[in-house]
Amino acid sequence: NEWAIRERVLEVAEYLLDPYMQARDTNEYAHNTSLRIAREYIGMPIWMPTYCDFRGRILEQPDPLKYQGNDLHRGLLTFHEEVDITEEGLPWLFVHVANKCSGLPMAKGIKLDKLPFEDRVIWVRDNIQVLLDIAQDPYGNKDLYWDGFGKGAKTFEALASCDELLKVVTTNKTSIPCVGDGTQNNYQWSAGLIRDKDLAGLVNLLPCSTPNDLHQAVGDANREAWEAGESDHEYMRQFLERADVL
């Protein structure tokens, strides 16, 4: 695929990160260099050298700027070719937007990516004006999407998704990659290979009304066993005392 730089996100990122760059709080390689490269490639198609490793995973090679990189990278990059949004594609765009806004101030801390797909679509429809306001004035509405720039941040992906929503509303065109991820993918493969229906349900290989979480299920089972005195562990008390935050 040909990639392109999302210029609006680049402009905002340069502005928001500048104080941190001046204070040398950013990572020279992961942030500063990425912004310089993105500025050089505005308006140009970009091809990512890609390779397959020994595990069979397909990986992009250019570390300073790639879609498999950090939040800043993913916010800066979009597909070069725009296509018309379709009736079937619009709900999946909404799901993508909700995923990228999950846990942020605009979502009031709600983990939207844990909701059923239908509820994510409803959330975007109910909050469409807020999302468009962010796209139209990302500086004045920074507090609604700012999530920092460290590991696990969603700041620039959230901004890119709002920017894409505005583009769809005004032009009916889209170019953003809508990412769909597996649920504990290694266990999905295991469930399929051994035909384990219970495990398949826990990793969302079977139809379900709400997304399941294998890790949460294991944690809950252990907590119940500890509270019932059916299992013992030297760190049991510490886990139980912090069960609501772990």
Side-chain angles (χ1 to χ4, degrees):
N1 293 316
E2 294 179 357
W3 295 89
I5 299 300
R6 188 177 287 274
E7 190 169 357
R8 179 64 162 167
V9 172
L10 174 59
E11 293 172 352
V12 177
E14 289 174 330
Y15 175 82
L16 294 181
L17 292 179
D18 183 65
Y20 301 97
M21 293 169 65
Q22 296 297 330
R24 298 189 176 183
D25 290 334
T26 54
N27 183 292
E28 174 66 32
Y29 192 66
H31 300 111
N32 306 22
T33 300
S34 303
L35 291 173
R36 288 196 295 268
I37 292 174
R39 176 60 61 183
E40 292 178 6
Y41 279 91
I42 287 178
M44 300 169 59
I46 304 170
W47 289 268
M48 296 287 177
T50 305
Y51 67 97
C52 187
D53 72 2
F54 70 96
R55 299 165 296 181
R57 291 188 175 185
I58 297 174
L59 303 171
E60 295 169 339
Q61 200 164 27
D63 285 338
L65 186 61
K66 60 182 180 181
Y67 198 76
Q68 292 175 334
N70 59 30
D71 168 60
L72 176 61
H73 295 186
R74 293 189 293 271
L76 288 171
L77 289 166
T78 190
F79 289 134
H80 186 265
E81 181 182 358
E82 295 182 341
V83 297
D84 291 329
I85 193 72
T86 64
E87 185 177 346
E88 295 80 10
L90 188 59
W92 289 111
L93 173 62
F94 285 0
V95 168
H96 176 81
V97 172
N99 289 345
K100 299 310 174 185
C101 298
S102 179
L104 297 183
M106 73 175 90
K108 299 179 180 178
I110 298 172
K111 296 294 184 181
L112 300 173
D113 57 347
K114 303 300 183 184
L115 299 178
F117 289 141
E118 294 81 1
D119 289 347
R120 296 182 224 184
V121 172
I122 291 172
W123 183 87
V124 172
R125 293 189 186 279
D126 289 346
N127 292 274
I128 190 76
Q129 192 55 56
V130 173
L131 298 167
L132 294 177
D133 287 345
I134 291 172
Q136 292 169 330
D137 183 11
Y139 305 101
N141 291 299
K142 168 195 167 186
D143 291 343
L144 293 175
Y145 66 90
W146 177 253
D147 191 34
F149 52 87
K151 185 177 181 180
K154 292 183 177 180
T155 296
F156 301 108
E157 287 185 275
L159 177 58
S161 67
C162 293
D163 185 61
E164 188 72 9
L165 200 59
L166 178 61
K167 181 168 70 174
V168 167
V169 169
T170 54
T171 70
N172 203 47
K173 297 284 187 179
T174 184
S175 62
I176 199 169
C178 290
V179 179
D181 198 5
T183 305
Q184 291 99 40
N185 190 246
N186 54 331
Y187 291 110
Q188 288 183 323
W189 278 102
S190 298
L193 289 170
I194 65 177
R195 301 293 193 270
D196 188 323
K197 189 173 182 179
D198 293 333
L199 180 58
L202 287 170
V203 291
N204 301 307
L205 288 179
L206 300 178
C208 53
S209 57
T210 58
N212 292 309
D213 186 334
L214 175 61
H215 294 161
Q216 186 65 53
V218 172
D220 290 345
N222 276 282
R223 178 179 179 177
E224 291 171 5
W226 289 337
E227 291 176 336
E230 299 172 356
S231 180
D232 195 8
H233 191 282
E234 61 178 312
Y235 297 111
M236 178 180 68
R237 184 175 298 278
Q238 289 92 322
F239 278 117
L240 291 178
E241 289 175 353
R242 295 175 55 81
D244 292 336
V245 295
L246 289 174

